[in-house]
Amino acid sequence: MAHIIVVGNEKGGSGKSTTSMHLATALARMGWTVGGLDLDLRQKSFGRYVENRRAYMERNGLDLPSPAYHDLPEVDQASLAPGENVNDRRLSMAVARVEKDADFILIDCPGSHTRLSQVAHSLADTLITPLNDSFVDFDLLARVDGETNRILGPSVYSEMVWNARQLRAQAGLPPIDWIVVRNRLGAQQMHNKKKMGDALSNLAKRIGFRVAPGFSERVIFRELFPRGLTLLDLKDIGVGGLNLSNVAARQELRDLVRALKLPGVEVAF
Ligand SMILES: Nc1ncnc2c1ncn2[C@@H]1O[C@H](COP(=O)(O)OP(=O)(O)O)[C@@H](O)[C@H]1O
Ligand SMILES: [Mg+2]
């Protein structure tokens, strides 16, 4: 059975697709077979990222380890059972197809609340939630008292994850390992960083997630997409050497993969 990794957060621009591509490629580079699905049916950033990679490899005669991207299959409406949701069927068909020969399935979610995303969360063995270091983004996890910074209660996204956990428990599936990843950290704003760190570790205990550090804010992430490349590919295309920012970014990726504690994964890249 493939291990399902879902990357989700109802907020756009938190780094879901960037994280999905880097993680899927890192696992492929470590020799695992990785299938990818993109549930952001409108933007398809992850799908397009993988497509760009294939085109780049073709143009340059390269063969880089890559995740295999799969579109959700089209389903004949007439084949649905009464009351069955078409997207539920599309997702379960896609997962059934991919899991036959994949070690990991990476599912990138849209930055909004959709039925597809909700169902995907209940399939997650590992759930990764990239989060910008901002209380605007934190607000999707929990409501905070503006005066005291005390946590008042869970918020929409946490409640969705809680529901997904309930569904899994009812189905006898193992619990979701939920990891909130602090992404796009800036070099400054120490005060905000500390406040955010405190709030997250406080909330982690209450609603059951782990916190892991993600990527710092770096221009390189925006430049890689058109060629479908990740930080790990740079040395294969002759951009090696000692660019300290890229070396540090690769270390962040290594640390992230290690923090996820995926089954059987020894970090070696
Ligand atoms: N660590 C980072 N540093 C700089 N830019 C980033 C970083 N992570 C993501 N980005 C950029 O931010 C934008 C949104 O990222 P994306 O991964 O598409 O987020 P999401 O999928 O959550 O909407 C993209 O332009 C991406 O290149
Ligand atoms: Mg995205």
Side-chain angles (χ1 to χ4, degrees):
M1 281 281 273
H3 185 93
I4 300 183
I5 304 170
V6 172
V7 181
N9 179 345
E10 287 172 23
K11 198 95 187 166
S14 58
K16 290 179 292 299
S17 301
T18 304
T19 303
S20 295
M21 185 62 180
H22 275 80
L23 192 53
T25 307
L27 291 168
R29 280 192 160 270
M30 292 159 82
W32 301 97
T33 307
V34 185
L37 303 177
D38 192 341
L39 304 187
D40 194 337
L41 301 181
R42 192 170 160 78
Q43 297 183 6
K44 277 207 191 154
S45 305
F46 178 40
R48 295 181 46 73
Y49 209 143
V50 182
E51 252 169 49
N52 291 348
R53 183 178 183 84
R54 199 178 37 223
Y56 178 83
M57 290 194 299
E58 237 163 63
R59 276 200 309 276
N60 293 279
L62 287 168
D63 185 19
L64 303 169
S66 305
Y69 175 73
H70 302 260
D71 268 321
L72 296 190
E74 292 304 329
V75 168
D76 182 3
Q77 291 279 350
S79 74
L80 296 174
E84 186 181 10
N85 181 289
V86 65
N87 280 329
D88 290 10
R89 170 78 79 84
R90 293 176 76 199
L91 179 57
S92 62
M93 278 173 69
V95 169
R97 269 184 206 171
V98 180
E99 81 180 342
K100 274 193 295 217
D101 36 37
D103 300 307
F104 292 95
I105 304 179
L106 206 139
I107 305 180
D108 187 16
C109 290
S112 57
H113 180 71
T114 65
R115 164 109 189 174
L116 263 179
S117 171
Q118 194 179 357
V119 175
H121 278 66
S122 66
L123 301 177
D125 296 304
T126 297
L127 171 63
I128 302 173
T129 300
L131 190 77
N132 287 320
D133 245 22
S134 154
F135 278 97
V136 178
D137 290 39
F138 189 90
D139 192 55
L140 292 187
L141 293 178
R143 276 182 290 275
V144 177
D145 182 303
E147 296 302 320
T148 61
N149 286 330
R150 219 166 48 84
I151 291 162
L152 301 175
S155 196
V156 280
Y157 184 69
S158 303
E159 274 164 5
M160 199 264 265
V161 176
W162 191 82
N163 283 330
R165 284 177 156 161
Q166 294 296 104
L167 277 177
R168 281 179 75 86
Q170 282 158 17
L173 294 167
I176 301 174
D177 186 14
W178 184 14
I179 300 114
V180 173
V181 173
R182 295 175 74 184
N183 196 34
R184 310 190 63 168
L185 292 167
Q188 283 110 34
Q189 305 153 344
M190 292 311 291
H191 181 64
N192 178 66
K193 248 194 231 175
K194 167 143 189 357
K195 261 172 69 174
M196 194 72 178
D198 291 347
L200 275 174
S201 61
N202 223 334
L203 186 63
K205 284 183 236 109
R206 281 183 53 172
I207 63 177
F209 57 76
R210 303 191 280 127
V211 183
F215 303 115
S216 303
E217 178 72 27
R218 293 179 206 278
V219 184
I220 181 83
F221 285 107
R222 281 169 250 168
E223 294 169 346
L224 293 168
F225 175 83
R227 289 173 294 170
L229 297 172
T230 68
L231 291 164
L232 300 177
D233 306 307
L234 295 177
K235 56 182 182 310
D236 293 342
I237 59 157
V239 185
L242 271 179
N243 179 323
L244 289 183
S245 173
N246 294 349
V247 171
R250 269 199 298 278
Q251 185 59 41
E252 288 171 354
L253 178 56
R254 222 175 270 130
D255 290 343
L256 174 61
V257 176
R258 197 172 287 122
L260 295 178
K261 301 195 177 119
L262 296 169
V265 173
E266 300 278 334
V267 179
F269 56 82

